Amino acid sequence: LLSRVPHAPRALRRRFIRCVASSALGPEDRFIVRNERNDVHLLQCPTIGVLQQAMLELGELPHICVAGESNAGKSSMINHLLKKKLARASSVAGKTRSVDMLEVNEQLVLADLPGLPSRDHQVARLWDTSWRPLVMHYIRHCESLRAMLYVHDVRWKVSPLVREFVREVEACGLPVLLVLTKDDHLRGEADAAGVAEHQKRLQYTKSIRRSLDFEGIHEHYTCDSSLPAGRRGRRQLLRQIEQLVACESRAAAAEMLEEKAAKKQGREPRISGQ
């Protein structure tokens, strides 16, 4: 089903997508994101003015934003999480050209942010002049924003631009959960190198975390639901999102993620600001 909301301001008219045209509630409706049916409104915010209106309209709901380099699998991951083709996945860099707010089941806003320029620098000028100011305005001024899912292809090295961006986001007090995508591609690389798949995964993961100087939580993700890893990754990431949404503020979300990271790494949690 695809319809327009006639009473909304023209700049904020929504695309409303219902995965299944049914109003019956099932046991899984207690979850924010469901397996079979999700009601989603899309608000595209290509300018700061439209973005400010959207933040007012959706300010009462908790927000989680999704960022990453172009072609890192950001939009594909969102589509896989919601079990619907909503975000515009493409092999062409810069397909997402606005802050796309996805209101999910009237409980959550997933914000798909424009992609950072990848190593071919196809959209570097657009990022510097238009998209980066838009993204940073959203991060700094959306009070209901709880955390960022930063999506990174597990096989890619970390560029200086990515390192700078992640540090700037964290400096704004927004916690980052690192999502390492395209995990299913590792088997071929491992076979070609004559090593075990888990060794290749560990090698790449350590390199990325070290390059980012990242001490938080990371998740591995593949969008192939035919693989156990694809189904498991989706469950684990949705569980993280549920816990982030339950936090009352980004500060509380940061504290929760830090406590989980410290427990996993066998260290004491770091006090905010130190």
Side-chain angles (χ1 to χ4, degrees):
L1 294 178
L2 183 65
S3 63
R4 297 283 183 179
V5 179
H7 55 73
R10 184 174 182 180
L12 288 179
R13 287 182 183 175
R14 302 175 178 183
R15 281 197 298 144
F16 175 66
I17 304 118
R18 174 168 288 173
C19 296
V20 176
S22 170
S23 59
L25 297 178
E28 69 163 16
D29 285 297
R30 67 183 185 276
F31 298 112
I32 294 174
V33 178
R34 306 159 188 159
N35 287 327
E36 300 297 334
R37 175 175 51 80
N38 291 295
D39 294 340
V40 181
H41 291 85
L42 168 62
L43 277 75
Q44 294 177 320
C45 307
T47 67
I48 288 178
V50 176
L51 178 63
Q52 289 172 332
Q53 293 181 58
M55 287 192 296
L56 286 173
E57 184 172 339
L58 296 175
E60 294 183 359
L61 293 177
H63 290 224
I64 303 289
C65 66
V66 185
E69 288 177 277
S70 298
N71 301 327
K74 173 171 58 72
S75 295
S76 296
M77 185 198 75
I78 293 173
N79 293 335
H80 186 254
L81 280 174
L82 298 179
K83 293 292 187 78
K84 187 69 175 177
K85 190 173 182 180
L86 302 170
R88 294 164 291 181
S90 173
S91 60
V92 178
K95 193 67 175 178
T96 304
R97 293 174 172 263
S98 57
V99 173
D100 289 353
M101 294 190 185
L102 299 164
E103 181 189 4
V104 182
N105 299 322
E106 299 182 340
Q107 298 185 73
L108 163 71
V109 176
L110 272 181
D112 184 10
L113 306 181
L116 281 75
S118 54
R119 48 224 73 242
D120 56 12
H121 305 292
Q122 288 185 52
V123 294
R125 185 175 179 181
L126 277 171
W127 171 258
D128 290 335
T129 60
S130 300
W131 300 343
R132 183 184 175 281
L134 190 68
V135 167
M136 294 312 301
H137 183 89
Y138 173 65
I139 290 171
R140 291 190 177 108
H141 298 286
C142 184
E143 294 182 0
S144 53
L145 181 58
R146 299 291 190 266
M148 170 180 286
L149 307 181
Y150 187 82
V151 176
H152 191 85
D153 188 321
V154 69
R155 303 163 298 171
W156 289 357
K157 292 182 179 179
V158 174
S159 70
L161 177 65
V162 166
R163 190 180 301 113
E164 177 188 350
F165 175 72
V166 172
R167 287 176 180 172
E168 185 175 11
V169 169
E170 291 178 327
C172 292
L174 187 67
V176 175
L177 192 154
L178 181 62
V179 183
L180 301 176
T181 55
K182 306 191 181 181
D183 190 76
D184 52 313
H185 292 231
L186 291 178
R187 176 170 293 181
E189 290 200 11
D191 290 344
V195 298
E197 182 180 348
H198 75 273
Q199 290 178 317
K200 201 68 177 174
R201 180 178 296 108
L202 184 61
Q203 173 192 340
Y204 281 139
T205 302
K206 283 185 174 180
S207 176
I208 292 167
R209 290 180 63 93
R210 184 170 56 249
S211 296
L212 287 172
D213 192 22
F214 186 75
E215 297 185 341
I217 294 291
H218 75 264
E219 297 283 357
H220 289 276
Y221 203 92
T222 172
C223 294
D224 188 348
S225 293
S226 68
L227 299 175
R231 299 189 293 274
R232 181 174 61 251
R234 181 176 181 270
R235 287 195 303 271
Q236 290 175 342
L237 190 53
L238 286 177
R239 189 177 302 118
Q240 297 278 19
I241 290 173
E242 293 265 355
Q243 292 172 354
L244 288 168
V245 167
C247 296
E248 295 183 356
S249 66
R250 65 173 64 180
E255 183 178 353
M256 184 269 291
L257 286 177
E258 169 58 18
E259 288 178 353
K260 291 175 68 173
K263 182 178 180 181
K264 188 172 184 179
Q265 297 162 17
R267 59 173 174 81
E268 289 296 319
R270 289 176 174 80
I271 301 173
S272 178
Q274 293 188 2

